[in-house]
Amino acid sequence: MDFTDPTLTLAPVSLVDVSCYLPGEPVGTEYFTRFSRSERMAKNVMFRAPKARHHRGRDETAVDMVESAVAPLRDRHGPDVLADIDVLITHTQLPDNPVLGAGPEVARRLGMNPKWVFDVHNGGCAAFIHMMMLARMILQTTDARTALIATTQNTAGPVFTQTEIRTLAQAPVPGDGCGVGLLAKNNSAPILDIECRTFPEFAGDMDFSTGSDRKYWEPGEGQGCVSFTESKVTKVFARGNRLVPELALAVCDHIGVKGRDIDTFVTNQPNRLFLRNWHDALELPPERHPDTFDRCGNLFAAGIPVTLDVENRAGRLRNGSIVLLSAFAHAGDFAAAAAVRWGAAG
């Protein structure tokens, strides 16, 4: 839902800049093919592997990754940009400490003293847009003026290379990375609209399993990973095909443009078929729907800010153009979309 009350005049909020971090050297698919076993799931379009992905090191924490991702923002906007942040919102795919969120440690590491600190989890692959919505709401309804949002995908290295998990069809698909966004209460690169929707009826369709009876926190045999059945994969694929264009076109309708008139369409990057189906649904040519899948794999929540940063640094995002973001999360229990009048620093 859009939390903006149309009867009120609220200050504009801008996505001022984005930056990202990809850990280590690219890991080729041959790393996985030597371990793979023949199974029907490997033929499913959901699990066709990218050419490369990045894996974070065993001792590299989510806070380390955020610190690396934020460095270009500090370089472009000056050393005081972080000290002035009022709102910090983080999303970490695999918390290093299952009890604590990353927000306070990120603030300490970066020399920040924000008044509002939130760690959010339910946004999944749509978390960047979810955090844009939360940050905009806080900036528009309080005296806060700036926000930093950070998404960290860090499961590929530690989870998908486990000795049992690396043999599965889905193991080569994820990659690790971190993307951050800087928001401010101004009109330099305004967020034109945000739409977030939760679908509770799909909330139980993604499982985390150890392949045995033990719970993930218990000692014993089995390695933890997100588990799939063919029937659930089929359902997730159908939902994803529908939800991302549906939310994207709802935002287009709110701002008075057609999907085919969008300048750049940035989505989460789960696989090649989703990407093709999504730009086809909006009647957009592939060149207006940037694709980082073969370079980075499925970056989950970090996919949108990483792709934005790659496009921005390449000079392919024209200031004043409309950039449309859209993603769905997990098995389809959450989806979100946003439109921005681009104006970020290069």
Side-chain angles (χ1 to χ4, degrees), residues 50 86 108 113 116 118 164 192 259 274 312 318:
D86 299 308
R108 186 192 68 80
N113 189 28
W116 291 269
F118 298 98
E164 295 174 17
L192 305 176
F274 267 138
N312 190 43
R318 177 174 48 83

Side-chain angles (χ1 to χ4, degrees), residues 202-247:
F202 305 143
D205 286 352
M206 178 167 281
D207 298 323
F208 186 88
S209 171
T210 62
S212 65
D213 291 334
R214 77 170 181 89
K215 304 299 184 182
Y216 78 86
W217 62 84
E218 296 175 331
E221 297 183 357
Q223 297 175 356
C225 189
V226 173
S227 59
F228 295 90
T229 63
E230 289 192 69
S231 62
K232 285 188 177 181
V233 167
T234 300
K235 292 176 182 177
V236 172
F237 191 74
R239 292 168 193 162
N241 270 337
R242 173 177 61 85
L243 289 173
V244 169
E246 181 179 301
L247 272 289

Side-chain angles (χ1 to χ4, degrees), residues 84-122:
D84 294 336
I85 293 293
D86 299 308
V87 181
L88 172 64
I89 309 177
T90 63
H91 168 90
T92 306
Q93 195 69 33
L94 185 67
D96 295 292
N97 184 326
V99 178
L100 302 177
E105 175 62 10
V106 168
R108 186 192 68 80
R109 183 82 64 85
L110 298 179
M112 300 166 57
N113 189 28
K115 186 175 181 180
W116 291 269
V117 179
F118 298 98
D119 292 291
V120 300
H121 201 67
N122 63 298

